[in-house]
Amino acid sequence: MKQMMHDKEERERLLTVLQTRFFAQIQRHADLAWEPIARRLESSESKLDALFAMEATGGEPDVIGYDQEKDAYLFCDCAPESPVERRSLCYDRAGLESRKSYPPRSSACDEAAAMGVELLHEQEYLLLQTKGAFDCKSSSWIATPDSIRRQGGALYGDRHYDRVFIYHNGAQSYYASRGFRSMLWV
């Protein structure tokens, strides 16, 4: 299912969209400059393919941070709600396979892997929520620690009452309003 760029024109269009969003939402990364990010993006076809997949599935990726230790910029889905094209999914393959009836088409973990990205971890989800109000009408699966996953659970987050909540659910569950947000270190 991975959406890949096919030509130089698509690549330039994606870079223009990312640059426009970067400057339109400067409060998400006020201490960062676009030029070093653009240079890094232009030198990595696989990262651009992953960002293209994020954009093509409605994620509206943008930079939300920089990790000096990793020397990497964090791109994250910044669409106001969990992307519609990534909803109604179980958490992972094991959750999908455990469905007795009415299985969804796929799982969040499988879809993220096909896109070349990761699900947000709790830390990144909370960081994203400091950049704006996200998932006020939807929710997003987030990367779940093995200790919780071994017990059949999976984590998701949303925002209500101007507060961010992290919950748990069975990994086999899926809802029309729950999708996943992705992240990519560049």
Side-chain angles (χ1 to χ4, degrees):
M1 177 200 162
K2 185 169 183 175
Q3 309 265 343
M4 294 180 62
M5 291 180 297
H6 300 287
D7 59 29
K8 184 178 178 182
E9 189 176 297
E10 282 183 330
R11 175 188 171 114
E12 291 304 315
R13 194 169 29 248
L14 174 64
L15 287 168
T16 299
V17 165
L18 295 173
Q19 179 180 12
T20 300
R21 187 174 293 133
F22 181 89
F23 287 110
Q25 299 294 332
I26 200 73
Q27 75 282 0
R28 293 180 185 153
H29 37 253
D31 55 338
L32 299 177
W34 173 250
E35 292 74 23
I37 297 168
R39 280 194 301 274
R40 191 149 315 166
L41 288 172
E42 290 167 356
S43 69
S44 179
E45 198 70 35
S46 66
K47 301 290 185 181
L48 279 173
D49 280 342
L51 286 165
F52 184 79
M54 291 169 74
E55 183 70 25
T57 57
E60 301 178 21
D62 197 6
V63 180
I64 65 165
Y66 172 76
D67 185 307
Q68 200 162 18
E69 205 171 287
K70 290 181 182 181
D71 185 29
Y73 297 95
L74 178 59
F75 276 83
C76 176
D77 291 313
C78 291
E81 302 299 333
S82 193
V84 173
E85 290 190 34
R86 298 192 221 150
R87 293 187 191 175
S88 297
L89 304 169
C90 291
Y91 175 73
D92 62 7
R93 171 70 42 188
L96 179 63
E97 291 173 353
S98 73
R99 290 286 312 183
K100 301 288 187 236
S101 58
Y102 308 109
R105 72 180 191 286
S106 187
S107 75
C109 291
D110 288 345
E111 298 276 319
M115 292 168 60
V117 297
E118 297 177 59
L119 297 184
L120 271 71
H121 294 88
E122 186 173 3
Q123 174 183 336
E124 286 84 13
Y125 190 79
L126 294 173
L127 173 63
L128 172 66
Q129 291 286 0
T130 68
K131 308 297 180 177
F134 299 95
D135 287 337
C136 295
K137 297 176 186 171
S138 62
S139 61
S140 296
W141 288 115
I142 60 175
T144 300
D146 289 340
S147 61
I148 294 171
R149 192 59 203 94
R150 280 192 300 269
Q151 297 177 64
L155 300 178
Y156 67 97
D158 63 22
R159 182 185 201 105
H160 295 288
Y161 312 110
D162 202 28
R163 181 176 173 164
V164 179
F165 293 90
I166 303 297
Y167 310 91
H168 64 91
N169 215 183
Q172 77 286 358
S173 64
Y174 67 99
Y175 301 94
S177 63
R178 183 171 309 148
F180 72 91
R181 291 180 178 277
S182 57
M183 66 177 197
L184 181 70
W185 289 100
V186 176

